[in-house]
Structure formats: structure tokens, C-alpha cells
Amino acid sequence: IFSLGCIFYSTLVPGSHPFGEWYEREANIVHNRLMIDALEEISPCAHQLVRAMLSREPQLRPTALQICEHPFFWTPQKKLSFLCEFSDRLETDV
């Protein structure tokens, strides 16, 4: 999952690596210094997913199934349905 997070980041931010330039990557990984702020500007949803995938603790990383079900991969229709359903729940709970 960690490696997939690196690849996913590099795909979304071409020419970049989540741990910096080649000569500083190993040290940045060891010290958990992520450099993924550029992704926040592109997609906050993808930023959250990549941050989780690159978690230092393997048990805190999402599973492959959780990644596939992440809102970043939802269709526009699924996103709209979610927002409508959430809105309806807010109205009935108030």
C-alpha cells in the first residue's frame, strides 16, 4: 500500500515524489517527512487518501478494498447521491 501511495502521488502530481528528490527520499521516509502539499491543491480527497496510504504505521494504512471504495474513486452520481442522502438525514435529525 505504501508503494502504491508513492506511485499514486507521482501519477497525480507528475514529476514529483511524495518524499522529495531522489537524493533525499530515503532520509525523508525514515523521518516521515511527507511533501504532498501540492496534492491538496489538486484534490483534497486524493490528498487525504495518499496521506493514509503513506502512513508510517502499516496497520494504519487502508486496505486495498478501502482504497477502491474511497470517495476519490466515486462516480459523480455516487457523490451526488451521498450528498443528497446526507442532506436528508440532517433535515430529519434537526
Side-chain angles (χ1 to χ4, degrees):
I1 298 298
F2 182 89
S3 296
L4 181 61
C6 291
I7 293 167
F8 189 40
Y9 178 85
S10 295
T11 301
L12 294 171
V13 185
S16 296
H17 190 279
F19 290 97
E21 297 299 323
W22 65 269
Y23 54 84
E24 60 188 1
R25 286 182 194 149
E26 189 174 334
N28 286 340
I29 290 170
V30 169
H31 296 292
N32 199 36
R33 289 190 292 246
L34 282 171
M35 299 178 184
I36 61 173
D37 292 342
L39 188 55
E40 179 94 52
E41 297 173 22
I42 296 169
S43 169
C45 192
H47 181 267
Q48 185 276 327
L49 176 58
V50 169
R51 180 175 289 286
M53 292 170 76
L54 298 176
S55 175
R56 178 178 227 156
E57 301 298 325
Q59 64 273 18
L60 297 178
R61 296 178 195 147
T63 64
L65 180 61
Q66 289 170 325
I67 292 168
C68 290
E69 293 175 347
H70 191 275
F72 178 79
F73 296 108
W74 289 0
T75 63
Q77 181 59 41
K78 184 168 181 173
K79 290 176 185 177
L80 180 61
S81 293
F82 172 81
L83 292 172
C84 289
E85 189 175 314
F86 183 74
S87 175
D88 291 346
R89 285 188 185 174
L90 285 177
E91 289 177 3
T92 59
D93 287 349
V94 174

mmCIF file of all heavy atoms in Angstrom, residues 28-77:
data_model
loop_
_atom_site.group_PDB
_atom_site.id
_atom_site.type_symbol
_atom_site.label_atom_id
_atom_site.label_comp_id
_atom_site.label_asym_id
_atom_site.label_seq_id
_atom_site.Cartn_x
_atom_site.Cartn_y
_atom_site.Cartn_z
ATOM 1 N N ASN A 28 13.977 11.194 4.152
ATOM 2 C CA ASN A 28 12.624 11.696 4.392
ATOM 3 C C ASN A 28 11.662 10.577 4.776
ATOM 4 O O ASN A 28 10.774 10.772 5.602
ATOM 5 C CB ASN A 28 12.113 12.457 3.170
ATOM 6 C CG ASN A 28 12.765 13.814 3.035
ATOM 7 O OD1 ASN A 28 13.303 14.353 3.998
ATOM 8 N ND2 ASN A 28 12.721 14.366 1.837
ATOM 9 N N ILE A 29 11.830 9.409 4.180
ATOM 10 C CA ILE A 29 10.987 8.272 4.555
ATOM 11 C C ILE A 29 11.285 7.870 5.994
ATOM 12 O O ILE A 29 10.365 7.685 6.799
ATOM 13 C CB ILE A 29 11.199 7.089 3.584
ATOM 14 C CG1 ILE A 29 10.602 7.430 2.211
ATOM 15 C CG2 ILE A 29 10.567 5.810 4.140
ATOM 16 C CD1 ILE A 29 10.965 6.453 1.108
ATOM 17 N N VAL A 30 12.560 7.752 6.342
ATOM 18 C CA VAL A 30 12.947 7.370 7.700
ATOM 19 C C VAL A 30 12.404 8.362 8.721
ATOM 20 O O VAL A 30 11.928 7.972 9.791
ATOM 21 C CB VAL A 30 14.487 7.254 7.813
ATOM 22 C CG1 VAL A 30 14.935 7.133 9.266
ATOM 23 C CG2 VAL A 30 14.986 6.065 6.993
ATOM 24 N N HIS A 31 12.427 9.655 8.387
ATOM 25 C CA HIS A 31 11.974 10.685 9.327
ATOM 26 C C HIS A 31 10.513 11.085 9.105
ATOM 27 O O HIS A 31 10.041 12.053 9.718
ATOM 28 C CB HIS A 31 12.885 11.918 9.227
ATOM 29 C CG HIS A 31 14.297 11.621 9.636
ATOM 30 N ND1 HIS A 31 14.656 11.317 10.928
ATOM 31 C CD2 HIS A 31 15.430 11.550 8.899
ATOM 32 C CE1 HIS A 31 15.950 11.085 10.978
ATOM 33 N NE2 HIS A 31 16.453 11.215 9.760
ATOM 34 N N ASN A 32 9.844 10.347 8.241
ATOM 35 C CA ASN A 32 8.413 10.568 7.971
ATOM 36 C C ASN A 32 8.110 12.004 7.537
ATOM 37 O O ASN A 32 7.166 12.632 8.002
ATOM 38 C CB ASN A 32 7.573 10.182 9.198
ATOM 39 C CG ASN A 32 6.125 9.942 8.841
ATOM 40 O OD1 ASN A 32 5.831 9.431 7.773
ATOM 41 N ND2 ASN A 32 5.232 10.322 9.723
ATOM 42 N N ARG A 33 8.917 12.517 6.628
ATOM 43 C CA ARG A 33 8.731 13.871 6.108
ATOM 44 C C ARG A 33 8.051 13.809 4.744
ATOM 45 O O ARG A 33 8.712 13.690 3.716
ATOM 46 C CB ARG A 33 10.068 14.606 6.010
ATOM 47 C CG ARG A 33 10.645 14.978 7.351
ATOM 48 C CD ARG A 33 11.839 15.916 7.213
ATOM 49 N NE ARG A 33 12.971 15.246 6.595
ATOM 50 C CZ ARG A 33 14.123 14.998 7.202
ATOM 51 N NH1 ARG A 33 14.308 15.369 8.457
ATOM 52 N NH2 ARG A 33 15.103 14.401 6.570
ATOM 53 N N LEU A 34 6.743 13.867 4.772
ATOM 54 C CA LEU A 34 5.951 13.860 3.538
ATOM 55 C C LEU A 34 5.981 15.241 2.894
ATOM 56 O O LEU A 34 5.930 16.252 3.593
ATOM 57 C CB LEU A 34 4.495 13.516 3.838
ATOM 58 C CG LEU A 34 4.166 12.061 4.084
ATOM 59 C CD1 LEU A 34 2.733 11.936 4.580
ATOM 60 C CD2 LEU A 34 4.358 11.239 2.850
ATOM 61 N N MET A 35 5.995 15.264 1.593
ATOM 62 C CA MET A 35 5.943 16.519 0.842
ATOM 63 C C MET A 35 4.808 16.417 -0.167
ATOM 64 O O MET A 35 5.030 16.334 -1.373
ATOM 65 C CB MET A 35 7.279 16.757 0.138
ATOM 66 C CG MET A 35 8.427 16.869 1.088
ATOM 67 S SD MET A 35 9.971 17.075 0.195
ATOM 68 C CE MET A 35 11.122 17.070 1.546
ATOM 69 N N ILE A 36 3.582 16.402 0.358
ATOM 70 C CA ILE A 36 2.430 16.174 -0.518
ATOM 71 C C ILE A 36 1.459 17.355 -0.557
ATOM 72 O O ILE A 36 0.321 17.210 -0.987
ATOM 73 C CB ILE A 36 1.680 14.879 -0.132
ATOM 74 C CG1 ILE A 36 1.137 14.927 1.291
ATOM 75 C CG2 ILE A 36 2.582 13.661 -0.305
ATOM 76 C CD1 ILE A 36 0.246 13.760 1.654
ATOM 77 N N ASP A 37 1.906 18.520 -0.142
ATOM 78 C CA ASP A 37 1.030 19.691 -0.130
ATOM 79 C C ASP A 37 0.503 20.060 -1.513
ATOM 80 O O ASP A 37 -0.609 20.558 -1.643
ATOM 81 C CB ASP A 37 1.729 20.892 0.499
ATOM 82 C CG ASP A 37 1.961 20.701 1.992
ATOM 83 O OD1 ASP A 37 1.297 19.836 2.594
ATOM 84 O OD2 ASP A 37 2.816 21.411 2.549
ATOM 85 N N ALA A 38 1.288 19.794 -2.554
ATOM 86 C CA ALA A 38 0.839 20.117 -3.918
ATOM 87 C C ALA A 38 -0.433 19.358 -4.266
ATOM 88 O O ALA A 38 -1.277 19.845 -5.017
ATOM 89 C CB ALA A 38 1.939 19.795 -4.923
ATOM 90 N N LEU A 39 -0.602 18.173 -3.694
ATOM 91 C CA LEU A 39 -1.785 17.362 -3.976
ATOM 92 C C LEU A 39 -3.041 17.972 -3.352
ATOM 93 O O LEU A 39 -4.134 17.839 -3.902
ATOM 94 C CB LEU A 39 -1.574 15.934 -3.472
ATOM 95 C CG LEU A 39 -2.634 14.916 -3.843
ATOM 96 C CD1 LEU A 39 -2.842 14.859 -5.352
ATOM 97 C CD2 LEU A 39 -2.229 13.552 -3.321
ATOM 98 N N GLU A 40 -2.902 18.665 -2.240
ATOM 99 C CA GLU A 40 -4.043 19.312 -1.575
ATOM 100 C C GLU A 40 -4.719 20.300 -2.521
ATOM 101 O O GLU A 40 -5.940 20.407 -2.553
ATOM 102 C CB GLU A 40 -3.583 20.023 -0.310
ATOM 103 C CG GLU A 40 -4.693 20.741 0.438
ATOM 104 C CD GLU A 40 -5.316 19.901 1.522
ATOM 105 O OE1 GLU A 40 -4.574 19.365 2.345
ATOM 106 O OE2 GLU A 40 -6.552 19.806 1.539
ATOM 107 N N GLU A 41 -3.918 21.005 -3.311
ATOM 108 C CA GLU A 41 -4.461 21.981 -4.259
ATOM 109 C C GLU A 41 -5.177 21.307 -5.424
ATOM 110 O O GLU A 41 -6.132 21.849 -5.967
ATOM 111 C CB GLU A 41 -3.339 22.873 -4.785
ATOM 112 C CG GLU A 41 -2.691 23.708 -3.706
ATOM 113 C CD GLU A 41 -1.474 24.456 -4.195
ATOM 114 O OE1 GLU A 41 -1.363 24.671 -5.419
ATOM 115 O OE2 GLU A 41 -0.642 24.831 -3.352
ATOM 116 N N ILE A 42 -4.725 20.131 -5.804
ATOM 117 C CA ILE A 42 -5.330 19.392 -6.913
ATOM 118 C C ILE A 42 -6.619 18.708 -6.467
ATOM 119 O O ILE A 42 -7.646 18.812 -7.125
ATOM 120 C CB ILE A 42 -4.339 18.351 -7.471
ATOM 121 C CG1 ILE A 42 -3.125 19.066 -8.063
ATOM 122 C CG2 ILE A 42 -5.004 17.453 -8.502
ATOM 123 C CD1 ILE A 42 -1.977 18.144 -8.405
ATOM 124 N N SER A 43 -6.537 18.008 -5.326
ATOM 125 C CA SER A 43 -7.694 17.270 -4.829
ATOM 126 C C SER A 43 -7.530 16.982 -3.337
ATOM 127 O O SER A 43 -6.743 16.115 -2.955
ATOM 128 C CB SER A 43 -7.855 15.943 -5.580
ATOM 129 O OG SER A 43 -8.808 15.125 -4.949
ATOM 130 N N PRO A 44 -8.281 17.677 -2.482
ATOM 131 C CA PRO A 44 -8.213 17.381 -1.046
ATOM 132 C C PRO A 44 -8.558 15.925 -0.734
ATOM 133 O O PRO A 44 -7.994 15.319 0.171
ATOM 134 C CB PRO A 44 -9.238 18.340 -0.431
ATOM 135 C CG PRO A 44 -9.319 19.470 -1.406
ATOM 136 C CD PRO A 44 -9.137 18.837 -2.756
ATOM 137 N N CYS A 45 -9.457 15.367 -1.514
ATOM 138 C CA CYS A 45 -9.861 13.975 -1.316
ATOM 139 C C CYS A 45 -8.684 13.027 -1.601
ATOM 140 O O CYS A 45 -8.405 12.113 -0.822
ATOM 141 C CB CYS A 45 -11.046 13.673 -2.233
ATOM 142 S SG CYS A 45 -11.880 12.131 -1.887
ATOM 143 N N ALA A 46 -7.977 13.262 -2.697
ATOM 144 C CA ALA A 46 -6.804 12.448 -3.032
ATOM 145 C C ALA A 46 -5.693 12.668 -2.007
ATOM 146 O O ALA A 46 -4.988 11.729 -1.637
ATOM 147 C CB ALA A 46 -6.309 12.786 -4.431
ATOM 148 N N HIS A 47 -5.552 13.884 -1.527
ATOM 149 C CA HIS A 47 -4.543 14.203 -0.511
ATOM 150 C C HIS A 47 -4.772 13.364 0.740
ATOM 151 O O HIS A 47 -3.838 12.766 1.283
ATOM 152 C CB HIS A 47 -4.607 15.698 -0.178
ATOM 153 C CG HIS A 47 -3.613 16.135 0.835
ATOM 154 N ND1 HIS A 47 -3.910 16.193 2.176
ATOM 155 C CD2 HIS A 47 -2.313 16.540 0.709
ATOM 156 C CE1 HIS A 47 -2.847 16.618 2.838
ATOM 157 N NE2 HIS A 47 -1.868 16.841 1.968
ATOM 158 N N GLN A 48 -6.010 13.297 1.175
ATOM 159 C CA GLN A 48 -6.345 12.508 2.372
ATOM 160 C C GLN A 48 -6.033 11.025 2.141
ATOM 161 O O GLN A 48 -5.479 10.347 3.007
ATOM 162 C CB GLN A 48 -7.822 12.713 2.734
ATOM 163 C CG GLN A 48 -8.267 12.052 4.009
ATOM 164 C CD GLN A 48 -8.653 10.589 3.831
ATOM 165 O OE1 GLN A 48 -9.161 10.190 2.792
ATOM 166 N NE2 GLN A 48 -8.401 9.800 4.860
ATOM 167 N N LEU A 49 -6.382 10.516 0.970
ATOM 168 C CA LEU A 49 -6.143 9.111 0.654
ATOM 169 C C LEU A 49 -4.650 8.806 0.598
ATOM 170 O O LEU A 49 -4.181 7.840 1.221
ATOM 171 C CB LEU A 49 -6.802 8.746 -0.680
ATOM 172 C CG LEU A 49 -6.566 7.325 -1.184
ATOM 173 C CD1 LEU A 49 -7.050 6.289 -0.178
ATOM 174 C CD2 LEU A 49 -7.247 7.132 -2.535
ATOM 175 N N VAL A 50 -3.882 9.613 -0.094
ATOM 176 C CA VAL A 50 -2.440 9.381 -0.205
ATOM 177 C C VAL A 50 -1.774 9.494 1.160
ATOM 178 O O VAL A 50 -0.914 8.683 1.506
ATOM 179 C CB VAL A 50 -1.800 10.351 -1.228
ATOM 180 C CG1 VAL A 50 -0.276 10.311 -1.154
ATOM 181 C CG2 VAL A 50 -2.269 10.011 -2.631
ATOM 182 N N ARG A 51 -2.186 10.463 1.961
ATOM 183 C CA ARG A 51 -1.618 10.602 3.314
ATOM 184 C C ARG A 51 -1.841 9.314 4.117
ATOM 185 O O ARG A 51 -0.939 8.823 4.804
ATOM 186 C CB ARG A 51 -2.232 11.791 4.044
ATOM 187 C CG ARG A 51 -1.675 11.970 5.460
ATOM 188 C CD ARG A 51 -2.205 13.218 6.132
ATOM 189 N NE ARG A 51 -1.661 14.428 5.567
ATOM 190 C CZ ARG A 51 -0.415 14.876 5.749
ATOM 191 N NH1 ARG A 51 0.429 14.185 6.468
ATOM 192 N NH2 ARG A 51 -0.019 16.005 5.201
ATOM 193 N N ALA A 52 -3.034 8.743 4.008
ATOM 194 C CA ALA A 52 -3.329 7.498 4.727
ATOM 195 C C ALA A 52 -2.496 6.336 4.178
ATOM 196 O O ALA A 52 -1.974 5.518 4.940
ATOM 197 C CB ALA A 52 -4.820 7.179 4.631
ATOM 198 N N MET A 53 -2.356 6.276 2.864
ATOM 199 C CA MET A 53 -1.582 5.199 2.243
ATOM 200 C C MET A 53 -0.111 5.261 2.625
ATOM 201 O O MET A 53 0.563 4.230 2.698
ATOM 202 C CB MET A 53 -1.728 5.266 0.717
ATOM 203 C CG MET A 53 -3.121 4.944 0.230
ATOM 204 S SD MET A 53 -3.350 5.313 -1.521
ATOM 205 C CE MET A 53 -2.480 3.938 -2.266
ATOM 206 N N LEU A 54 0.398 6.460 2.893
ATOM 207 C CA LEU A 54 1.802 6.642 3.230
ATOM 208 C C LEU A 54 2.047 6.715 4.735
ATOM 209 O O LEU A 54 3.126 7.123 5.180
ATOM 210 C CB LEU A 54 2.339 7.904 2.546
ATOM 211 C CG LEU A 54 2.309 7.873 1.016
ATOM 212 C CD1 LEU A 54 2.780 9.201 0.447
ATOM 213 C CD2 LEU A 54 3.124 6.718 0.474
ATOM 214 N N SER A 55 1.070 6.300 5.501
ATOM 215 C CA SER A 55 1.224 6.299 6.957
ATOM 216 C C SER A 55 2.454 5.485 7.358
ATOM 217 O O SER A 55 2.731 4.429 6.789
ATOM 218 C CB SER A 55 -0.026 5.698 7.615
ATOM 219 O OG SER A 55 0.161 5.591 9.002
ATOM 220 N N ARG A 56 3.158 6.009 8.335
ATOM 221 C CA ARG A 56 4.370 5.322 8.817
ATOM 222 C C ARG A 56 4.033 3.939 9.382
ATOM 223 O O ARG A 56 4.801 2.994 9.245
ATOM 224 C CB ARG A 56 5.038 6.193 9.869
ATOM 225 C CG ARG A 56 6.258 5.559 10.468
ATOM 226 C CD ARG A 56 6.904 6.480 11.468
ATOM 227 N NE ARG A 56 8.326 6.469 11.154
ATOM 228 C CZ ARG A 56 9.166 7.425 11.450
ATOM 229 N NH1 ARG A 56 8.746 8.480 12.056
ATOM 230 N NH2 ARG A 56 10.417 7.318 11.148
ATOM 231 N N GLU A 57 2.888 3.838 10.020
ATOM 232 C CA GLU A 57 2.460 2.587 10.644
ATOM 233 C C GLU A 57 1.639 1.759 9.652
ATOM 234 O O GLU A 57 0.535 2.173 9.270
ATOM 235 C CB GLU A 57 1.627 2.874 11.894
ATOM 236 C CG GLU A 57 2.333 3.682 12.952
ATOM 237 C CD GLU A 57 3.565 2.984 13.500
ATOM 238 O OE1 GLU A 57 3.557 1.734 13.610
ATOM 239 O OE2 GLU A 57 4.549 3.676 13.800
ATOM 240 N N PRO A 58 2.120 0.602 9.234
ATOM 241 C CA PRO A 58 1.402 -0.211 8.252
ATOM 242 C C PRO A 58 -0.042 -0.542 8.650
ATOM 243 O O PRO A 58 -0.932 -0.557 7.804
ATOM 244 C CB PRO A 58 2.241 -1.484 8.158
ATOM 245 C CG PRO A 58 3.612 -1.070 8.566
ATOM 246 C CD PRO A 58 3.394 0.010 9.608
ATOM 247 N N GLN A 59 -0.285 -0.758 9.929
ATOM 248 C CA GLN A 59 -1.635 -1.106 10.377
ATOM 249 C C GLN A 59 -2.617 0.064 10.255
ATOM 250 O O GLN A 59 -3.829 -0.138 10.282
ATOM 251 C CB GLN A 59 -1.644 -1.684 11.795
ATOM 252 C CG GLN A 59 -1.205 -0.738 12.879
ATOM 253 C CD GLN A 59 0.295 -0.713 13.113
ATOM 254 O OE1 GLN A 59 1.088 -1.138 12.275
ATOM 255 N NE2 GLN A 59 0.700 -0.193 14.268
ATOM 256 N N LEU A 60 -2.099 1.284 10.094
ATOM 257 C CA LEU A 60 -2.959 2.455 9.925
ATOM 258 C C LEU A 60 -3.268 2.742 8.460
ATOM 259 O O LEU A 60 -4.119 3.582 8.157
ATOM 260 C CB LEU A 60 -2.308 3.684 10.564
ATOM 261 C CG LEU A 60 -2.091 3.619 12.073
ATOM 262 C CD1 LEU A 60 -1.395 4.884 12.567
ATOM 263 C CD2 LEU A 60 -3.392 3.396 12.803
ATOM 264 N N ARG A 61 -2.595 2.050 7.557
ATOM 265 C CA ARG A 61 -2.842 2.255 6.133
ATOM 266 C C ARG A 61 -4.146 1.573 5.725
ATOM 267 O O ARG A 61 -4.507 0.532 6.289
ATOM 268 C CB ARG A 61 -1.685 1.676 5.310
ATOM 269 C CG ARG A 61 -0.376 2.380 5.565
ATOM 270 C CD ARG A 61 0.748 1.744 4.782
ATOM 271 N NE ARG A 61 2.023 2.202 5.330
ATOM 272 C CZ ARG A 61 3.117 1.477 5.374
ATOM 273 N NH1 ARG A 61 3.140 0.252 4.875
ATOM 274 N NH2 ARG A 61 4.220 1.974 5.899
ATOM 275 N N PRO A 62 -4.853 2.143 4.754
ATOM 276 C CA PRO A 62 -6.084 1.493 4.300
ATOM 277 C C PRO A 62 -5.767 0.201 3.554
ATOM 278 O O PRO A 62 -4.673 0.027 3.011
ATOM 279 C CB PRO A 62 -6.703 2.534 3.357
ATOM 280 C CG PRO A 62 -5.554 3.360 2.887
ATOM 281 C CD PRO A 62 -4.563 3.373 4.018
ATOM 282 N N THR A 63 -6.736 -0.694 3.544
ATOM 283 C CA THR A 63 -6.595 -1.924 2.775
ATOM 284 C C THR A 63 -6.858 -1.611 1.299
ATOM 285 O O THR A 63 -7.371 -0.526 0.965
ATOM 286 C CB THR A 63 -7.605 -2.974 3.242
ATOM 287 O OG1 THR A 63 -8.929 -2.498 2.969
ATOM 288 C CG2 THR A 63 -7.452 -3.283 4.729
ATOM 289 N N ALA A 64 -6.554 -2.551 0.430
ATOM 290 C CA ALA A 64 -6.823 -2.365 -0.999
ATOM 291 C C ALA A 64 -8.315 -2.144 -1.228
ATOM 292 O O ALA A 64 -8.702 -1.282 -2.033
ATOM 293 C CB ALA A 64 -6.323 -3.569 -1.789
ATOM 294 N N LEU A 65 -9.155 -2.873 -0.512
ATOM 295 C CA LEU A 65 -10.606 -2.695 -0.658
ATOM 296 C C LEU A 65 -11.034 -1.304 -0.202
ATOM 297 O O LEU A 65 -11.833 -0.641 -0.865
ATOM 298 C CB LEU A 65 -11.360 -3.768 0.126
ATOM 299 C CG LEU A 65 -12.877 -3.696 0.060
ATOM 300 C CD1 LEU A 65 -13.365 -3.847 -1.376
ATOM 301 C CD2 LEU A 65 -13.497 -4.773 0.940
ATOM 302 N N GLN A 66 -10.497 -0.836 0.907
ATOM 303 C CA GLN A 66 -10.828 0.504 1.394
ATOM 304 C C GLN A 66 -10.386 1.575 0.394
ATOM 305 O O GLN A 66 -11.080 2.576 0.213
ATOM 306 C CB GLN A 66 -10.184 0.753 2.758
ATOM 307 C CG GLN A 66 -10.813 -0.045 3.870
ATOM 308 C CD GLN A 66 -10.013 0.028 5.166
ATOM 309 O OE1 GLN A 66 -8.780 0.084 5.154
ATOM 310 N NE2 GLN A 66 -10.721 0.000 6.285
ATOM 311 N N ILE A 67 -9.263 1.365 -0.250
ATOM 312 C CA ILE A 67 -8.798 2.315 -1.258
ATOM 313 C C ILE A 67 -9.774 2.350 -2.425
ATOM 314 O O ILE A 67 -10.169 3.421 -2.885
ATOM 315 C CB ILE A 67 -7.377 1.963 -1.730
ATOM 316 C CG1 ILE A 67 -6.379 2.196 -0.594
ATOM 317 C CG2 ILE A 67 -6.992 2.768 -2.966
ATOM 318 C CD1 ILE A 67 -5.009 1.615 -0.850
ATOM 319 N N CYS A 68 -10.177 1.175 -2.887
ATOM 320 C CA CYS A 68 -11.115 1.103 -4.018
ATOM 321 C C CYS A 68 -12.458 1.749 -3.696
ATOM 322 O O CYS A 68 -13.130 2.271 -4.588
ATOM 323 C CB CYS A 68 -11.326 -0.352 -4.437
ATOM 324 S SG CYS A 68 -9.881 -1.088 -5.220
ATOM 325 N N GLU A 69 -12.856 1.725 -2.432
ATOM 326 C CA GLU A 69 -14.140 2.282 -2.017
ATOM 327 C C GLU A 69 -14.035 3.736 -1.557
ATOM 328 O O GLU A 69 -15.040 4.345 -1.179
ATOM 329 C CB GLU A 69 -14.736 1.423 -0.898
ATOM 330 C CG GLU A 69 -15.120 0.032 -1.372
ATOM 331 C CD GLU A 69 -15.596 -0.876 -0.256
ATOM 332 O OE1 GLU A 69 -15.400 -0.534 0.938
ATOM 333 O OE2 GLU A 69 -16.170 -1.928 -0.573
ATOM 334 N N HIS A 70 -12.845 4.306 -1.602
ATOM 335 C CA HIS A 70 -12.628 5.680 -1.139
ATOM 336 C C HIS A 70 -13.401 6.665 -2.023
ATOM 337 O O HIS A 70 -13.525 6.457 -3.243
ATOM 338 C CB HIS A 70 -11.134 6.013 -1.168
ATOM 339 C CG HIS A 70 -10.795 7.278 -0.486
ATOM 340 N ND1 HIS A 70 -10.863 8.507 -1.120
ATOM 341 C CD2 HIS A 70 -10.392 7.524 0.778
ATOM 342 C CE1 HIS A 70 -10.514 9.455 -0.268
ATOM 343 N NE2 HIS A 70 -10.217 8.876 0.889
ATOM 344 N N PRO A 71 -13.926 7.744 -1.442
ATOM 345 C CA PRO A 71 -14.677 8.739 -2.222
ATOM 346 C C PRO A 71 -13.927 9.307 -3.438
ATOM 347 O O PRO A 71 -14.568 9.734 -4.392
ATOM 348 C CB PRO A 71 -14.966 9.847 -1.200
ATOM 349 C CG PRO A 71 -15.007 9.124 0.112
ATOM 350 C CD PRO A 71 -13.964 8.037 -0.005
ATOM 351 N N PHE A 72 -12.605 9.272 -3.435
ATOM 352 C CA PHE A 72 -11.868 9.758 -4.599
ATOM 353 C C PHE A 72 -12.271 8.993 -5.863
ATOM 354 O O PHE A 72 -12.283 9.544 -6.954
ATOM 355 C CB PHE A 72 -10.358 9.637 -4.384
ATOM 356 C CG PHE A 72 -9.563 10.093 -5.573
ATOM 357 C CD1 PHE A 72 -9.355 11.448 -5.804
ATOM 358 C CD2 PHE A 72 -9.036 9.182 -6.480
ATOM 359 C CE1 PHE A 72 -8.638 11.882 -6.904
ATOM 360 C CE2 PHE A 72 -8.315 9.601 -7.578
ATOM 361 C CZ PHE A 72 -8.117 10.959 -7.796
ATOM 362 N N PHE A 73 -12.620 7.737 -5.709
ATOM 363 C CA PHE A 73 -12.954 6.887 -6.846
ATOM 364 C C PHE A 73 -14.452 6.802 -7.126
ATOM 365 O O PHE A 73 -14.865 6.065 -8.023
ATOM 366 C CB PHE A 73 -12.370 5.478 -6.650
ATOM 367 C CG PHE A 73 -10.873 5.470 -6.621
ATOM 368 C CD1 PHE A 73 -10.189 5.247 -5.440
ATOM 369 C CD2 PHE A 73 -10.139 5.712 -7.768
ATOM 370 C CE1 PHE A 73 -8.807 5.237 -5.404
ATOM 371 C CE2 PHE A 73 -8.754 5.718 -7.749
ATOM 372 C CZ PHE A 73 -8.090 5.476 -6.560
ATOM 373 N N TRP A 74 -15.259 7.517 -6.353
ATOM 374 C CA TRP A 74 -16.706 7.507 -6.586
ATOM 375 C C TRP A 74 -17.037 8.194 -7.911
ATOM 376 O O TRP A 74 -16.385 9.162 -8.307
ATOM 377 C CB TRP A 74 -17.433 8.238 -5.475
ATOM 378 C CG TRP A 74 -17.450 7.524 -4.156
ATOM 379 C CD1 TRP A 74 -16.891 6.317 -3.838
ATOM 380 C CD2 TRP A 74 -18.054 8.001 -2.949
ATOM 381 N NE1 TRP A 74 -17.112 6.024 -2.525
ATOM 382 C CE2 TRP A 74 -17.816 7.038 -1.954
ATOM 383 C CE3 TRP A 74 -18.744 9.157 -2.630
ATOM 384 C CZ2 TRP A 74 -18.286 7.191 -0.659
ATOM 385 C CZ3 TRP A 74 -19.203 9.306 -1.336
ATOM 386 C CH2 TRP A 74 -18.982 8.335 -0.357
ATOM 387 N N THR A 75 -18.082 7.720 -8.533
ATOM 388 C CA THR A 75 -18.584 8.381 -9.747
ATOM 389 C C THR A 75 -19.286 9.672 -9.328
ATOM 390 O O THR A 75 -19.700 9.813 -8.159
ATOM 391 C CB THR A 75 -19.600 7.489 -10.478
ATOM 392 O OG1 THR A 75 -20.735 7.287 -9.621
ATOM 393 C CG2 THR A 75 -18.992 6.143 -10.872
ATOM 394 N N PRO A 76 -19.463 10.597 -10.252
ATOM 395 C CA PRO A 76 -20.212 11.819 -9.915
ATOM 396 C C PRO A 76 -21.617 11.505 -9.386
ATOM 397 O O PRO A 76 -22.094 12.166 -8.460
ATOM 398 C CB PRO A 76 -20.277 12.586 -11.237
ATOM 399 C CG PRO A 76 -19.054 12.141 -11.969
ATOM 400 C CD PRO A 76 -18.892 10.675 -11.601
ATOM 401 N N GLN A 77 -22.260 10.477 -9.940
ATOM 402 C CA GLN A 77 -23.605 10.101 -9.479
ATOM 403 C C GLN A 77 -23.571 9.615 -8.032
ATOM 404 O O GLN A 77 -24.438 9.958 -7.235
ATOM 405 C CB GLN A 77 -24.199 9.017 -10.394
ATOM 406 C CG GLN A 77 -25.600 8.590 -9.986
ATOM 407 C CD GLN A 77 -26.609 9.733 -9.974
ATOM 408 O OE1 GLN A 77 -26.593 10.573 -10.868
ATOM 409 N NE2 GLN A 77 -27.448 9.789 -8.968
#
